[in-house]
Amino acid sequence: MSTGPLVLAWLLPIPISSLILFRLSLPSTSLFLNPVLTIAWSLTFTATLLLPLDLAAAADAPADADPAYTPAIQGSWLATYWVTFIFSWLLLPLIQDSILDGHLTLLSKLRSALRASARFYLVALGVAVCVFVLLALTTDGVNIPHLLLAFGNTYGLLLALLLLGYGLVAVPRDLWQRASPSTMVERRYLLASSMDSDLFEAVWSLQDVELVCDTVSRRPETSIPEVEAFREEIRFRKEAGVADLVEVEGRRARRAGREPSSPRSSSSSAASSAASSSSHPADAPLLDPSCELTPSNLAALNKSLIAAQTDVRRAVRAFQVLVDETAYYESLSSLSPPEPIAPPPNSSAATHLLASLANVSARLHYLFQAHARRATLKLFAGLLACLTGLVLWSELFMGLPVNLSPFGSWMSASRGSASLELLAVTPLLYMSFCVYSSLFKLRLFGRNGLKKRQSDGPSLCFAASYLVRMQFPLCYNYLLMLRYPASERTAFMTLMQSMDTVPLFGTSFSTYAPLLCVLLCFATLFNFYGRLLASMGVDTDDAILHGGDAEEKAAKVREGVTILRRALQAKQRGGDGPAAAGGGRGGGEQEMGINQTYSYSKV
């Protein structure tokens, strides 16, 4: 096998990852952070591209070849695995903690993040030593790299399979539901109340932190320059942190029991209004306002302020997306043919040509949205549902002695490396997409969700760490699922075979754990998953959409109509935020001027 495809597998993901990060990240994201995230994300895609190449090389190698792979493929897997291991478990968590740290300099932020990471890894090291001693006494011995590989892959495999079980059903079902604008609007009305509460609670928690900041700032000055530098930083961050979010000022005003005023006056009275609601349980780890003014205490307070402001921005981001999606799906119900563009009579030929092209483009867009969009989405949803069925069939019968995997059978019948690589990469890409879309769809991870041009540094680091953490276990599960004879001869499987040195986790667990994926698929398909989470009080989208009786859902829809209608009206009036006047709680009732083609009393 030539090195050209391997080089392409390493280089092609770099521009793709850069483009994805550019479309996701905030314009203010650090220039230092983007290259690190690009490398992490590109390594994830590299692992996905390397596996088909590895399979094709093993299939083309002679039957008596030992090994069936080249040193270049083996080196690529080793480099990719251990670099991603370092990124996911050390570097990216360290960067994420540094961004959210309250110290003033980069060096002090790194030191604080290292101390926090060291406490976690000391505990993990103690557990690892105990397991290592136990395995050394009960087996022929195991080395540390194999132990790290086995437990890292076991953790990633379990998480990947749980997310895969959800995504295999959720991805085609969501695509099918997108074909119906009324269904999508109703779902957003159901979610609006919860997301509005999340935003309101985030603002309340921020005000509680600001109360402590104001109290600390009013205390007498000290003779310690570092303490005064911290207090100045806290004052500046408190005033400027969320000053650009009009939505926050409206909610602060309603909490204080008055109409929204200017940002500065509203911000200056936030602390006093927070004092009147001290019974509100704040999520942030607040300090005692009368604590000793030391750099460590002030750094902790600054960290609390950063965390509270970050939570507010994330909540505002999520609410903005909900408002925009509601407006989009509502507009699909009242489409009308576009008005033709008529250039001035004395315009040039080029102007007439551009106007004609614009009219044709607008007409084609209208025809697609009005007539072809629904059928296209349902066709793709049906194809993905068939692919989901094939994946589940292969996962379900993975542990049988006979090969029942359709993917492995098709690959065995393929002729040529190109067709084999295409057959190998298609289901792997689909499974990867199901896992990653589930990671950010579940509201368990919602605070770190990714939004177009609105994702901050901590969210991007969180996403990258989990992407690289799950890709190798997912590839391992994929090879086991294929039951393709050449799989056992690949360089990747040779790397993963070191897991066999750890009983249970490296052997039978990998074979029978996919049954959890199948069970979760059925639970998601019949909405058992959402109802179970709702009964447990876990706040997820599925629990909100599928939990509760018809009367409760109807009440949520009515409340969502009021909240989102107010937000849409504020946006149409030119407000800076999606809901400059605030959400539904605390505001006066307004007329619901909503498109009445939907039945909002039914879900």
Side-chain angles (χ1 to χ4, degrees):
M1 180 182 180
S2 64
T3 58
L6 290 177
V7 173
L8 188 64
W10 279 89
L11 297 181
L12 181 61
I14 295 178
I16 297 176
S17 301
S18 301
L19 179 62
I20 293 175
L21 286 170
F22 175 77
R23 292 178 63 84
L24 289 175
S25 60
L26 286 167
S28 58
T29 303
S30 170
L31 294 177
F32 162 77
L33 188 59
N34 282 329
V36 176
L37 293 172
T38 299
I39 294 173
W41 286 39
S42 63
L43 287 174
T44 302
F45 301 138
T46 295
T48 306
L49 297 178
L50 280 178
L51 193 61
L53 299 178
D54 196 4
L55 279 169
D60 292 340
D64 57 348
D66 187 23
Y69 48 84
T70 63
I73 292 180
Q74 184 183 29
S76 296
W77 278 123
L78 287 172
T80 306
Y81 181 83
W82 290 111
V83 171
T84 55
F85 189 92
I86 294 172
F87 265 77
S88 62
W89 292 101
L90 296 175
L91 185 59
L92 290 172
L94 180 64
I95 294 175
Q96 184 178 3
D97 290 341
S98 299
I99 294 173
L100 296 173
D101 191 77
H103 287 83
L104 302 182
T105 65
L106 178 60
L107 185 59
S108 58
K109 286 176 177 287
L110 288 174
R111 282 200 299 262
S112 177
L114 281 171
R115 286 194 295 268
S117 299
R119 288 191 291 269
F120 169 78
Y121 287 113
L122 282 175
V123 175
L125 179 61
V127 175
V129 169
C130 295
V131 174
F132 183 80
V133 171
L134 179 62
L135 292 175
L137 295 175
T138 57
T139 64
D140 294 335
V142 59
N143 60 37
I144 293 179
H146 290 178
L147 184 66
L148 292 175
L149 189 148
F151 283 103
N153 283 341
T154 300
Y155 168 80
L157 179 63
L158 183 59
L159 181 59
L161 289 175
L162 291 176
L163 294 176
L164 179 64
Y166 178 84
L168 285 173
V169 172
V171 169
R173 184 171 63 184
D174 288 352
L175 199 59
W176 183 275
Q177 291 174 341
R178 287 178 184 273
S180 173
S182 60
T183 300
M184 299 304 292
V185 171
E186 288 174 345
R187 288 168 65 91
R188 274 141 189 80
Y189 285 152
L190 278 171
L191 295 173
S193 175
S194 178
M195 297 184 72
D196 182 73
S197 296
D198 291 344
L199 178 52
F200 207 77
E201 293 294 321
V203 174
W204 280 31
S205 296
L206 174 61
Q207 290 184 199
D208 290 338
V209 180
E210 289 177 336
L211 173 62
V212 181
C213 293
D214 285 341
T215 304
V216 169
S217 298
R218 288 194 296 267
R219 292 175 61 178
E221 294 186 2
T222 67
S223 58
I224 306 175
E226 189 176 3
V227 169
E228 294 307 314
F230 268 107
R231 294 214 295 181
E232 183 61 30
E233 169 67 17
I234 290 172
R235 291 190 195 99
F236 174 78
R237 182 175 295 279
K238 185 258 180 183
E239 291 295 328
V242 292
D244 58 317
L245 301 179
V246 180
E247 166 70 13
V248 176
E249 301 307 326
R251 291 170 188 270
R252 281 174 169 164
R254 288 202 314 282
R255 183 179 181 186
R258 55 181 174 81
E259 292 300 318
S261 57
S262 65
R264 180 166 296 277
S265 63
S266 178
S267 177
S268 63
S269 63
S272 60
S273 65
S276 63
S277 57
S278 57
S279 60
H280 171 70
D283 295 329
L286 302 183
L287 290 175
D288 183 359
S290 60
C291 67
E292 183 181 359
L293 296 182
T294 62
S296 60
N297 285 343
L298 292 175
L301 177 59
N302 194 32
K303 181 178 181 179
S304 297
L305 181 61
I306 293 172
Q309 291 176 344
T310 302
D311 287 345
V312 168
R313 288 194 170 276
R314 288 170 178 168
V316 169
R317 258 194 335 258
F319 194 75
Q320 286 176 342
V321 171
L322 189 72
V323 171
D324 293 340
E325 288 178 346
T326 303
Y328 169 71
Y329 286 112
E330 281 190 341
S331 68
L332 292 179
S333 65
S334 56
L335 290 174
S336 57
E339 294 291 335
I341 301 175
N346 297 327
S347 300
S348 62
T351 303
H352 281 273
L353 178 61
L354 291 175
S356 299
L357 292 175
N359 287 331
V360 171
S361 176
R363 183 66 180 178
L364 291 176
H365 182 265
Y366 164 74
L367 290 175
F368 175 79
Q369 295 286 3
H371 303 289
R373 177 183 176 275
R374 181 185 180 92
T376 302
L377 289 175
K378 289 194 172 183
L379 174 62
F380 277 105
L383 293 175
L384 294 183
C386 293
L387 193 53
T388 289
L390 295 176
V391 171
L392 288 178
W393 176 272
S394 302
E395 295 278 6
L396 183 61
F397 298 111
M398 180 191 299
L400 295 182
V402 294
N403 180 13
L404 296 179
S405 171
F407 300 115
S409 301
W410 294 337
M411 291 170 63
S412 298
S414 65
R415 296 292 183 268
S417 298
S419 60
L420 190 150
E421 291 167 4
L422 180 62
L423 286 171
V425 77
T426 300
L428 179 58
L429 286 176
Y430 177 62
M431 292 168 66
S432 301
F433 180 78
C434 290
V435 169
Y436 302 145
S437 63
S438 300
L439 179 64
F440 307 113
K441 179 181 176 63
L442 295 177
R443 297 190 71 197
L444 176 62
F445 304 100
R447 296 174 64 184
N448 293 293
L450 301 183
K451 306 297 180 184
K452 183 178 178 180
R453 299 298 289 161
Q454 297 182 24
S455 303
D456 54 22
S459 298
L460 293 170
C461 287
F462 176 88
S465 65
Y466 273 89
L467 288 176
V468 299
R469 198 172 294 179
M470 290 188 295
Q471 187 58 43
F472 270 78
L474 186 62
C475 290
Y476 182 60
N477 168 258
Y478 177 65
L479 280 187
L480 294 178
M481 181 194 79
L482 284 181
R483 303 295 298 274
Y484 182 52
S487 299
E488 298 296 330
R489 307 174 64 205
T490 59
F492 179 83
M493 191 59 76
T494 302
L495 175 66
M496 293 294 107
Q497 279 178 351
S498 57
M499 291 180 64
D500 294 343
T501 58
V502 182
L504 179 63
F505 294 109
T507 54
S508 57
F509 177 83
S510 301
T511 303
Y512 297 107
L515 295 178
L516 296 174
C517 170
V518 178
L519 291 176
L520 187 56
C521 276
F522 282 99
T524 305
L525 179 63
F526 296 104
N527 298 324
F528 295 149
Y529 176 75
R531 294 190 181 99
L532 175 62
L533 293 178
S535 64
M536 297 170 59
V538 179
D539 188 21
T540 66
D541 286 356
D542 286 288
I544 296 169
L545 294 172
H546 305 299
D549 54 20
E551 183 178 352
E552 183 179 353
K553 289 183 178 180
K556 288 181 180 179
V557 169
R558 289 193 296 270
E559 186 175 8
V561 167
T562 304
I563 293 170
L564 288 176
R565 180 50 49 198
R566 184 178 293 113
L568 289 170
Q569 289 174 349
K571 186 174 183 178
Q572 292 169 358
R573 289 196 300 267
D576 294 333
R585 288 164 176 75
E589 294 297 326
Q590 295 189 8
E591 186 73 20
M592 294 187 297
I594 306 174
N595 192 327
Q596 294 300 320
T597 59
Y598 302 118
S599 175
Y600 297 112
S601 61
K602 298 180 180 179
V603 181

